[in-house]
Amino acid sequence: MGQPVEVFSLLTAFDISLFRAGRHYKLYEKFGSHVVEYSGQSGVYFAVWAPYASQVSVIGNFNGWNPYTHLLHVRWDGSGIWEGFIPNIGIGEVYKYHINSMAGEQLEKADPFALISELPPQTASIVGTTWYEWEDKNWMSQRAQFNSLDKPMSVYEMHLGSWQRDPSDPDRLLSYREIADRLVPYIIETGFTHVEFLPVMEHPFYPSWGYQIAGYFAASSRYGGPQDLMYLIESLHKHNIGVILDWVPSHYPGDAHGLYRFDGSFLYEHEDIRKGFHPDWKSYIFNYGRNEVRSFLISNALFWLDRYHVDGLRVDAVASMLYLDYSRNEGEWEPNKFGGRENLEAVEFLKEFNEAVYHHFPDVHTIAEESTSWPGVSKPTSVGGLGFGMKWMMGWMHDTLDYFKEDPINRRYHHHKLTFATVYAYHENFMLPLSHDEVVHGKKSLLYKMPGDEWQKFANLRALYLYMFTLTGTKLLFMGDEFAQTAEWNENKSLDWHLLDYSPHKGMLRFVTALNRVYKSQPALYQKAFVGDGFQWVEQGDYTNSVYAYLRKGYEEKDNLLVVLNLTPVVRKEFRIGIPKNGVWEEILNSDQLEFNGSGLIGEAYNSTHIHWMGFEQSITITLPPLGGIILKRKA
């Protein structure tokens, strides 16, 4: 026989009561593996929830993976928790749980609370720590100001494994630390305010992009250890750049070592296949009605905000959680107790999740990827909302890309696609996303969605970006879009950085950099991002010329801006635009500037005249560049 397992616990009776009630939001402090000292000996305390198990043991290199030497003790309180202290092991120990189910199955499972996983395709857990000597105090103390809803938020969405790779070995993934040393200067240069990482949690299948998570508390070992990811986050924070993580409480894969049928029962997933299996992703859906599962998920959300100093969570696939009939045919789902298609348990979970996050971390954001018209996604739970801070504006994204795909000669017939979004833009706190999902699976890169010859494609894309950055709402752009990546995103290779050797791509990067600079320096573009009085149409009906004009307004009138878009390749000279106040109006940005690889058709300053136009008492005549947009500001 090997070393015995000592009876020892970090769990109090209060912990157990909270866990069973679904109200324990810091389970990571008690569950999993923890290096402790007990009876004068250093060792590791293990705790795992497996109520359907008849026996649970810890197996690893330390005992030759023998399932009979280190048996955990089941708690006497009916909680289904197995625990115990094993002396003389510590940080770096590789282990799994060997579980005998009541039905006689023998399972080997990774630790759901493991802080480190083996490098895939290996699947064991590793005893680790999240101890780190943080040096981001300045950011954390000012985060409420940077993350405020009336401050600029321009998000650079990226996948760690394919942003950049080692040029001398394109198959080698860069580490968190190597990425930090390259990413921080790049984000400073381009001017984004936040970085959003596709899921960093451990996932066995790399082409899932991280959305099929097996280790919810483990930073992916493909790029290093927990402290290496902390270094990356800290490096961004030191330069006042926020960090958002994608978080996936909607489903998980059926890998043998993962959460699926963890103790031989439907423990984490819903037993009813109509609620527990996801037909799109062939994955399994959490049982949101089970108290202990809610504690697990909310603890996981708080873990990343607490231990990793993360500034926001973008919650994936919220629509799939909200609707019982999501991607299901008739007969494949069961209505709720009121006869509706809403998943009432998921709705309550999302509300509880948001309440917990904002209670413990009031200066962060939760952002919903939610593609339907569900009401109040970003409204407080106190008024019946789901409680998210923001919601992705998927309708805007689809309409905008549909419009810009059209040949300019046909755009007059689709004019409303760029105006319709303002009808519902203030129902939610919207983020405008041009995300990874739009540049994969045969959808083409953003550049190659654009019509026309090469020059027109680039001009169209610059005009699209100008429209995006001057509309209400916060912004999100996927990596590579900032320099007009030509190929679709491929998770197995680096972005095509060599494109920056060519002037059209270099010009696009300069333009996005200039857009970020203007966006962050002009209060009218962010102070009223989610309220109707921050936006006013000047011209929304000129479908003949495909011209749009609108005002963006800040708290002070002197900050107001006029935006004009000309979305045909026809130059429009002496085009009259109504203005709210007389004086001299200057261009502060023009997408047609030569430095952006435009044609250089730019103006400088326009004097107003007392000619009534577009409902205003005065107007200016300007030159509109082809397939371009301009931002004007009244000279003080």
Side-chain angles (χ1 to χ4, degrees), residues 29-62:
E29 294 178 346
K30 304 296 175 85
F31 280 79
S33 56
H34 298 267
V35 176
V36 296
E37 215 171 89
Y38 176 63
S39 295
Q41 285 185 299
S42 178
V44 177
Y45 164 72
F46 294 92
V48 62
W49 179 51
Y52 193 67
S54 61
Q55 179 178 290
V56 178
S57 62
V58 182
I59 54 176
N61 292 332
F62 68 96

Side-chain angles (χ1 to χ4, degrees), residues 154-158 183 187 192-197 232 236 241-245 311-312:
S154 174
V155 181
Y156 186 70
E157 185 193 35
M158 61 179 285
L183 179 63
I187 298 300
F192 291 93
T193 66
H194 291 69
V195 173
E196 179 179 324
F197 296 125
L232 168 57
L236 290 160
I241 300 161
V243 177
I244 300 166
L245 294 188
D311 309 298

Side-chain angles (χ1 to χ4, degrees), residues 136 173 295 422:
D136 63 350
L173 300 177
S295 278
T422 57

Side-chain angles (χ1 to χ4, degrees), residues 266-280:
F266 298 97
L267 189 62
Y268 287 91
E269 66 273 15
H270 212 290
E271 184 173 0
D272 186 340
I273 196 168
R274 293 170 297 181
K275 295 181 181 179
F277 182 72
H278 204 298
D280 282 358

Side-chain angles (χ1 to χ4, degrees), residues 54-316:
S54 61
Q55 179 178 290
V56 178
S57 62
V58 182
I59 54 176
N61 292 332
F62 68 96
N63 64 7
W65 299 88
N66 186 330
Y68 304 109
T69 60
H70 290 77
L71 304 180
L72 295 179
H73 307 281
V74 66
R75 286 185 65 93
W76 63 93
D77 51 21
S79 62
I81 297 168
W82 299 73
E83 59 184 350
F85 170 81
I86 300 177
N88 302 319
I89 61 173
I91 298 291
E93 195 67 60
V94 178
Y95 71 99
K96 278 187 177 179
Y97 295 118
H98 186 279
I99 298 173
N100 289 358
S101 78
M102 289 183 181
E105 291 177 273
Q106 295 201 11
L107 307 166
E108 289 189 3
K109 292 289 187 177
D111 189 341
F113 286 87
L115 301 176
I116 307 174
S117 295
E118 279 190 303
L119 185 65
Q122 302 302 312
T123 59
S125 301
I126 301 174
V127 177
T129 177
T130 53
W131 184 89
Y132 187 73
E133 203 163 328
W134 286 94
E135 296 179 0
D136 63 350
K137 185 178 179 181
N138 286 345
W139 166 266
M140 296 298 283
S141 64
Q142 299 177 69
R143 183 167 68 179
Q145 178 186 340
F146 287 113
N147 260 1
S148 171
L149 289 176
D150 63 355
K151 290 294 191 294
M153 190 171 188
S154 174
V155 181
Y156 186 70
E157 185 193 35
M158 61 179 285
H159 176 251
L160 286 164
S162 56
W163 178 66
Q164 284 186 12
R165 291 198 176 183
D166 184 345
S168 62
D169 182 6
D171 290 331
R172 185 178 78 82
L173 300 177
L174 298 180
S175 70
Y176 293 118
R177 289 177 181 268
E178 289 174 309
I179 291 168
D181 294 342
R182 292 162 171 78
L183 179 63
V184 171
Y186 187 70
I187 298 300
I188 292 170
E189 175 196 346
T190 50
F192 291 93
T193 66
H194 291 69
V195 173
E196 179 179 324
F197 296 125
L198 271 59
V200 301
M201 302 82 185
E202 194 61 83
H203 49 286
F205 186 53
Y206 180 74
S208 77
W209 310 334
Y211 291 100
Q212 298 270 6
I213 297 172
Y216 270 80
F217 290 82
S220 179
S221 296
R222 290 177 175 90
Y223 314 105
Q227 287 69 28
D228 301 317
L229 175 55
M230 292 171 186
Y231 172 83
L232 168 57
I233 293 169
E234 175 186 83
S235 299
L236 290 160
H237 283 175
K238 283 181 174 180
H239 293 89
N240 294 334
I241 300 161
V243 177
I244 300 166
L245 294 188
D246 273 13
W247 186 59
V248 191
S250 47
H251 64 115
Y252 55 89
D255 294 72
H257 69 286
L259 296 178
Y260 175 61
R261 301 205 68 216
F262 185 78
D263 61 358
S265 72
F266 298 97
L267 189 62
Y268 287 91
E269 66 273 15
H270 212 290
E271 184 173 0
D272 186 340
I273 196 168
R274 293 170 297 181
K275 295 181 181 179
F277 182 72
H278 204 298
D280 282 358
W281 302 309
K282 307 292 184 278
S283 54
Y284 297 89
I285 300 169
F286 286 102
N287 182 352
Y288 305 110
R290 190 161 200 170
N291 292 345
E292 296 90 344
V293 171
R294 291 202 309 277
S295 278
F296 171 81
L297 286 170
I298 295 174
S299 290
N300 183 246
L302 297 193
F303 168 79
W304 293 100
L305 299 168
D306 176 13
R307 298 292 175 85
Y308 282 85
H309 289 199
V310 168
D311 309 298
L313 297 171
R314 175 265 192 189
V315 183
D316 184 61

Side-chain angles (χ1 to χ4, degrees), residues 457-473:
K457 287 183 189 301
F458 279 91
N460 269 304
L461 191 56
R462 291 194 303 273
L464 188 163
Y465 289 163
L466 189 138
Y467 164 63
M468 172 188 183
F469 272 76
T470 56
L471 208 58
T472 48

